[in-house]
Amino acid sequence: MQGQARLATGRTKEGTTSFGRSHTLDLLRGLAIAGVMAIHVSQSFPSHIGAVDFAFMCGWTGVNVFYFVSAMTMCLMWTQRTETNPARKFYIRRFLRIAPLFWLAIPVYLLVNGTGPSANAPNGIGPLQVILTATFLHGFWPDSVNSVVPGDWSIAAEMTFYLVFPLLITAFGARRHLYLALAIVLHLVNVCLFKPWAFALFSAYYGSGNEAFVWTTLHISFLNQLPVFLVGCALFFSLRDGFTKSDAAVFAVFIAVSFIADRATGSHEFNYLMINLVLGALVAGCIRLEIRWRPLETLGRNSYSMYLSHFAVICGLSQIWPLADGPVSLLIAYAVTAALSYFVARATWHLVERHAQDLAHRLTSARADRSIIRPTLAATAAGLR
């Protein structure tokens, strides 16, 4: 609790950003889900116009924007609260935010997509894949990623980040260079050691012809995504406390060592790093400028359910879509997907999420703390007697 209090005492000098209830964070979530829907809609309803399809395909960066916003939001929540047992309450809030809807999505997508072999599960879906997905461990086994719930690789990364976040912020506090240093180390470990070893291991396990599947799975693995979260944490404290020349120097070192490692290993992760650093700068710029736009903020507040549901919406639309492929079809399909996914999100909020959030509030409120303390005191008194 004392650590939280110290973290909460941010500076207010010129050049810093005062974080409160940030509408810009909601706007960024809205941009992220708009991008994610764009790439998936364009895959099912292509315009066959190169520039248009390329623009929609760039929506994949939305997931990485989610990562930056998630890291900053976690830092904001942690530094604004001063409470007992902060880690326990953090885990309760995050679990009840993610798990209920995700567990609901598992049987829905098993029913929609079946359990047969697919690009994401060459040998089909069995109990192992379902159990790993339900326990949020699917990111650690290749054919469990995206096989049960479409797009669940990002959920695996988020939940694993939530697991380590209290440890990180307790150890590092507001010392943003430590987050960046760890990001550099993990990036090099992934590029130079883990990815070559894991690629050889899983390519042999799944057999010839599945190399692309293994490579893609390792690219979206948590170890390759964790540096994005760590940079997000560093950006939060840089925005709050003010950027310095040393921040620029550390980023320059990050870019240089990543370039050297990429050339030495052929990992092809340098471009991914650079894209993420550019995205991080854009996210920080939006927050610094306090950009707001209500339609995107509304999407952002409903982005999690929209993320889980838009795959099913696209699948359903593709079965009944009356228009031939083309730019008009793509734009209409995008608008319909966004609208239907939003309506699903509002329904799931009232039916599921609202109740889960109420439960999280009850379990983490001061009253819950007092109800735990009283039996403890009573037991202590009984022991003294």
Side-chain angles (χ1 to χ4, degrees):
M1 185 168 68
Q2 291 177 348
Q4 282 189 298
R6 286 194 295 270
L7 281 169
T9 57
R11 305 170 198 167
T12 57
K13 66 181 181 181
E14 185 179 355
T16 65
T17 301
S18 177
F19 278 91
R21 168 59 183 169
S22 178
H23 294 276
T24 304
L25 291 176
D26 285 334
L27 176 138
L28 289 166
R29 292 187 189 95
L31 281 174
I33 189 60
V36 170
M37 288 190 296
I39 180 174
H40 295 138
V41 169
S42 68
Q43 289 171 344
S44 296
F45 307 97
S47 70
H48 298 300
I49 298 176
V52 174
D53 288 335
F54 177 78
F56 273 71
M57 290 296 288
C58 288
W60 70 264
T61 57
V63 171
N64 301 72
V65 172
F66 273 130
Y67 289 163
F68 281 114
V69 173
S70 178
M72 291 181 173
T73 303
M74 296 307 101
C75 291
L76 178 64
M77 290 169 53
W78 189 273
T79 56
Q80 283 192 335
R81 289 190 173 108
T82 303
E83 56 189 3
T84 58
N85 301 314
R88 179 181 68 84
K89 294 177 179 179
F90 173 85
Y91 289 136
I92 291 172
R93 293 184 184 109
R94 291 296 88 201
F95 179 80
L96 289 174
R97 176 72 182 94
I98 300 299
L101 271 188
F102 189 69
W103 284 344
L104 179 62
I106 291 174
V108 170
Y109 281 109
L110 285 174
L111 182 64
V112 170
N113 297 326
T115 60
S118 66
N120 294 310
N123 301 321
I125 298 173
L128 174 64
Q129 287 72 30
V130 175
I131 292 171
L132 289 175
T133 301
T135 55
F136 301 101
L137 297 173
H138 52 290
F140 296 102
W141 192 253
D143 62 11
S144 294
V145 179
N146 294 337
S147 60
V148 177
V149 177
D152 65 11
W153 69 279
S154 63
I155 307 299
E158 289 274 2
M159 288 297 278
T160 310
F161 173 66
Y162 296 157
L163 181 65
V164 302
F165 174 77
L167 305 176
L168 289 171
I169 199 165
T170 300
F172 293 171
R175 294 170 290 183
R176 55 188 182 268
H177 292 166
L178 293 181
Y179 296 97
L180 293 177
L182 181 59
I184 294 172
V185 170
L186 291 177
H187 177 75
L188 292 177
V189 168
N190 179 54
V191 167
C192 299
L193 299 175
F194 175 76
K195 192 173 182 181
W197 170 81
F199 180 74
L201 174 69
F202 287 115
S203 294
Y205 178 82
Y206 288 104
S208 178
N210 289 303
E211 291 82 3
F213 155 72
V214 173
W215 187 267
T216 300
T217 303
L218 294 176
H219 173 71
I220 62 179
S221 69
F222 176 65
L223 188 56
N224 202 37
Q225 310 308 315
L226 182 53
V228 182
F229 290 104
L230 293 171
V231 171
C233 292
L235 286 175
F236 169 83
F237 290 110
S238 294
L239 283 166
R240 194 195 70 172
D241 301 338
F243 286 93
T244 64
K245 292 181 179 178
S246 61
D247 295 327
V250 175
F251 279 113
V253 170
F254 198 171
I255 293 170
V257 298
S258 175
F259 178 80
I260 294 170
D262 186 78
R263 291 297 179 182
T265 63
S267 66
H268 303 290
E269 295 296 352
F270 176 73
N271 290 346
Y272 185 64
L273 172 67
M274 292 304 300
I275 291 170
N276 277 305
L277 292 181
V278 171
L279 288 174
L282 292 174
V283 166
C286 288
I287 294 172
R288 188 75 177 268
L289 296 173
E290 298 182 358
I291 296 175
R292 296 188 58 180
W293 192 43
R294 282 191 176 181
L296 280 178
E297 292 172 37
T298 300
L299 289 184
R301 287 189 289 271
N302 295 276
S303 57
Y304 176 51
S305 180
M306 291 181 70
Y307 181 83
L308 288 176
S309 64
H310 81 279
F311 297 99
V313 170
I314 292 172
C315 179
L317 287 178
S318 65
Q319 304 300 316
I320 61 172
W321 197 247
L323 301 178
D325 288 345
V328 173
S329 173
L330 172 61
L331 293 175
I332 294 175
Y334 182 79
V336 173
T337 298
L340 291 178
S341 299
Y342 176 77
F343 290 136
V344 171
R346 296 310 303 157
T348 57
W349 164 254
H350 290 287
L351 295 173
V352 180
E353 292 182 279
R354 179 167 59 90
H355 302 291
Q357 295 305 294
D358 288 344
L359 176 59
H361 178 72
R362 290 196 299 271
L363 293 175
T364 59
S365 66
R367 181 179 301 175
D369 279 342
R370 287 195 296 271
S371 67
I372 294 172
I373 291 171
R374 286 195 190 100
T376 303
L377 291 175
T380 303
L384 289 174
R385 288 199 299 269

